[in-house]
Amino acid sequence: MTSSFNVQDAAGYEQLMGRWSRRLAPLFIDFAGLAHGEKVLDVGCGTGSLTFTLAETADLAGIAAIDFSPVFVAAAEARNTDPRIKISQADACDLPFADASFDRALALLVLHFVPEAGKAVAEMRRVTRPGGVVAATVWDHLGGMPGMRMVVDTVAALSEGGRQLRARYCFQPMMQPGEMARTFGEQGLSNVSETELMIRMDYAGFDDFWAPISAGEGPLGKYVASLGAAERARTEVAVRDAYEAGRPDGPRSFANVAWAVRGTVP
């Protein structure tokens, strides 16, 4: 298995993360660069946040989008009406493309869920032409996602299982300062640069925030789904209290930071 991300339902993922990755995609494209007429690979396309933003941003010759999850592939294919876009199920660590097939290979919010992230970067480099660009972005779970940290810190205060979840969640691959940039350099990419991208996640109320997690989506949802009914209820009450922070339920807005790295194929 080459992905540690837990997906139950594409609609649930959209509520958990898809709507926010669509906000992040234009910032990532600005950083990675894009030119008319290029062929671009989207590694780990999910429901298509980056894929369809790429199609809207430039007159590209073609976009190949792959994901390890058949749930995501089916959802992205159902949305696609653009003949330039080809979506398929594939492994980021064993890309089904010839060497130097693309002008750019991009990965939006993917590498931290790939246990062999360095191998995925090597594959992205392999399928990108000399002079082309490889770029990726991942969330800063430890210091850049206060809404999600609110959840993991709350469950960590409730149980040893919660503390173990926090340790895993905060230190997933590629999330520490400089870690992804070092990996790019180790895989032979040149002119490697790193930056931070920031968006806000705006929630209508606690139910909007909690529903996809309680439904089992993503790593936090997987943990919640593993709890017994009484512990799930206790966890929800505690997270609700943290979300409301002593005020009535309602809209909340959280700033979220992602690391972004790009490099050039020699």
Side-chain angles (χ1 to χ4, degrees), residues 136-149:
T137 186
V138 301
W139 291 122
D140 177 5
H141 278 184
L142 178 66
M145 296 195 79
M148 297 301 109
R149 272 300 300 268

Side-chain angles (χ1 to χ4, degrees), residues 69-232:
S69 166
V71 174
F72 284 153
V73 170
E77 286 183 323
R79 291 179 57 195
N80 185 32
T81 59
D82 191 324
R84 297 174 298 167
I85 297 173
K86 306 300 180 186
I87 303 165
S88 60
Q89 185 179 3
D91 185 341
C93 295
D94 187 19
L95 294 171
F97 305 106
D99 295 358
S101 294
F102 300 96
D103 298 289
R104 298 177 199 268
L106 311 180
L108 176 79
L109 305 179
V110 173
L111 291 184
H112 50 312
F113 292 112
V114 180
E116 296 181 285
K119 189 173 180 180
V121 174
E123 277 291 274
M124 292 170 71
R125 177 197 166 179
R126 179 185 66 78
V127 302
T128 304
R129 65 166 173 81
V133 170
V134 173
T137 186
V138 301
W139 291 122
D140 177 5
H141 278 184
L142 178 66
M145 296 195 79
M148 297 301 109
R149 272 300 300 268
M150 177 181 70
V151 177
V152 296
D153 287 340
T154 299
V155 299
L158 296 176
S159 71
E160 176 59 28
R163 286 188 286 276
Q164 293 174 11
L165 168 70
R166 180 171 63 182
R168 293 191 303 271
Y169 184 80
C170 290
F171 295 99
Q172 287 179 232
M174 302 291 105
M175 287 187 168
Q176 302 312 299
E179 182 181 3
M180 189 160 53
R182 287 192 300 273
T183 299
F184 272 47
E186 290 166 359
Q187 298 305 327
L189 292 160
S190 62
N191 302 316
V192 176
S193 60
E194 179 182 72
T195 193
E196 300 170 22
L197 307 175
M198 192 276 283
I199 66 163
R200 297 200 73 89
M201 296 184 181
D202 304 305
Y203 299 95
F206 179 72
D207 287 345
D208 186 30
F209 175 82
W210 183 245
I213 298 174
S214 67
E217 295 297 336
L220 304 186
K222 182 178 181 180
Y223 171 78
V224 171
S226 74
L227 301 175
E231 190 63 18
R232 280 200 305 272

